[in-house]
């Protein structure tokens, strides 16, 4: 019994102190405080066991030992459920399973001895209330928090007035991009991209046939661009004009903060395009769901001949190149940090003739290619607070500019 209660005290004090001082959320800090309180209770329970069987100095030592054993049993069972459900380690579930069995045996053994209970109803009420608090905290942390209402920043993209060059052979279009975080939590910026697509949209001399509309609609499933079904416009696949990041990797935007930048796209007057479409995207992660260990380091590219994932190789075969960045991530609470294997966030900055994009994944080392089920993907997004933001397309017709001489 002493070994069980002392080991329970040590483990709960370790996890509780780290959560109390370092957890990323208020519920996490509350969990840490509860674990520290339980650790103190189990420590007193160990002292009660020692006095109840050996020293016989305190008349209520049996009651103290019983309360400490029951608190250890309840907490060990709840922690065991959490480590089995979310953890990767085999040692921690085995340890807490052994401690749960030992706590149950300790509580039953103490109960069978002559335990003096001064106010049975009050003690029972206190035990029931503390059990409800422990179970409610566990449920709140593991059931409600992962599915609480999400918060999302907002990207706005606006175009300024086009400006001609002095020789009137080129023009530029200023693009303003703003990232606004009106939520209550900050976000890590894992990757951003801005790209402009040139569009050829000639006009048909006569009304287009119904079969041509069907052919246009069939292309919607094959491309990220969705061109309208038009009676006269003949939309052709867009071509990449320009692409670049618009915010540094690994930075963050705090709650109620705003980031703004201006980019300029330059094109020749004799450009063959009739329209240009602008897009801005960002891949973010909530700061209360993970800790991003700096730096978000450049790891290589798809064409450099180094070791790359199978998905990157498949993308390159269809003309899409990638820049790859990676960083270690830490969990937002002590239990997950110790019971789960190390995770890494990988950012793929992709570009090709048909556009650009940013894709992120969080996985164990060597599992970047693992294909997740929809349920696993939702769980991953919820656990780490992954958010993808998209602004666009914002389309600018070029006829008025090209007509100026």
């Amino acid at each position: 019994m002493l070994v069980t209660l002392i080991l329970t005290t040590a483990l709960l004090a370790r996890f509780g102190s780290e959560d109390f001082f370092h957890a990323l959320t208020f519920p996490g800090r509350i969990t840490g405080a509860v674990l520290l309180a339980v650790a103190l209770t189990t420590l007193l329970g160990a002292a009660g066991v020692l006095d109840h069987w050996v020293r016989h100095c305190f008349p209520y030592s049996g009651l103290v030992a019983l309360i400490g054993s029951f608190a250890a049993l309840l907490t060990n069972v709840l922690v065991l459920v959490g480590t089995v459900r979310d953890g990767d380690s085999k040692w921690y579930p085995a340890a807490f399973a052994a401690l749960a069995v030992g706590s149950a045996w300790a509580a039953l053994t103490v109960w069978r001895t002559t335990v003096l209970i001064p106010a049975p109803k009050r003690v029972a009420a206190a035990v029931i209330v503390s059990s409800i608090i422990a179970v409610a905290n566990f449920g709140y942390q593991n059931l409600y928090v992962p599915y609480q209402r999400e918060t999302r920043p907002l990207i706005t993209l606006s175009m300024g007035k086009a400006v001609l060059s002095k020789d009137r052979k080129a023009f530029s279009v200023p693009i303003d991009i703003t990232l606004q975080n009106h939520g209550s939590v900050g976000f890590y910026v894992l990757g951003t991209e801005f790209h402009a697509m040139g569009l050829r949209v000639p006009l048909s001399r006569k009304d287009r046939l119904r079969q041509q509309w069907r052919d246009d609609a069939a292309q919607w499933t094959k491309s990220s661009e969705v061109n309208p079904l038009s009676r006269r416009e003949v939309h052709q696949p867009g071509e990449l004009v320009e692409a670049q990041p618009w915010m540094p990797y690994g930075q963050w935007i705090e709650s109620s903060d705003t980031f703004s930048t201006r980019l300029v796209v330059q094109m020749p007057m004799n450009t063959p395009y009739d329209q240009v479409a602008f897009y801005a995207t960002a891949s973010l992660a909530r700061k209360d769901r993970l800790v991003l260990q700096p730096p978000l380091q450049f790891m290589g590219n798809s064409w450099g001949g180094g070791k790359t994932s199978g998905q990157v190789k498949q993308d390159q075969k269809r003309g899409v190149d990638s820049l790859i960045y990676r960083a270690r991530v830490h969990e937002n609470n002590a239990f997950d940090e110790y019971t789960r294997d190390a995770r890494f966030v990988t950012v793929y900055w992709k570009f090709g003739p048909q556009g650009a994009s940013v894709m992120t994944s969080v996985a164990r080392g060597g599992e970047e290619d693992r294909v997740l089920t929809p349920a696993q993907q939702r769980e991953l997004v919820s656990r780490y607070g992954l958010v993808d933001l998209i602004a666009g397309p914002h389309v600018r017709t070029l006829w008025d500019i090209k007509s100026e001489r």
Side-chain angles (χ1 to χ4, degrees), residues 264-284:
V264 177
V265 177
Q266 300 185 77
M267 301 178 66
M269 289 292 290
N270 62 352
T271 179
Y273 304 118
D274 301 298
Q275 300 173 359
V276 60
F278 302 105
Y279 301 79
T281 65
S283 182
L284 312 177

Side-chain angles (χ1 to χ4, degrees), residues 70-124:
F70 180 77
L73 171 61
L74 179 62
T75 307
N76 284 327
V77 169
L78 293 178
V79 172
L80 175 62
V81 172
T83 54
V84 170
R85 191 192 69 165
D86 294 329
D88 301 313
S89 170
K90 295 181 179 179
W91 185 89
Y92 279 104
F96 281 109
L99 291 176
V101 173
S103 301
W105 174 78
L108 183 61
T109 302
V110 175
W111 176 259
R112 288 178 174 177
T113 63
T114 303
V115 178
L116 180 61
I117 303 178
K121 293 183 178 179
R122 294 182 180 179
V123 172

Side-chain angles (χ1 to χ4, degrees), residues 187-191 247-253 284-285 287 292 296:
F187 285 82
Y188 290 107
V189 179
L190 304 179
M247 193 172 180
Y249 296 141
Q251 299 298 310
W252 55 84
I253 180 168
L284 312 177
K287 290 184 68 178
L292 184 66
L296 186 55

Side-chain angles (χ1 to χ4, degrees), residues 13-29:
R14 177 187 183 185
F15 290 129
S17 60
E18 293 205 18
D19 273 344
F20 183 74
F21 292 106
H22 303 295
L24 300 182
T25 62
F26 178 72
R29 301 287 178 107

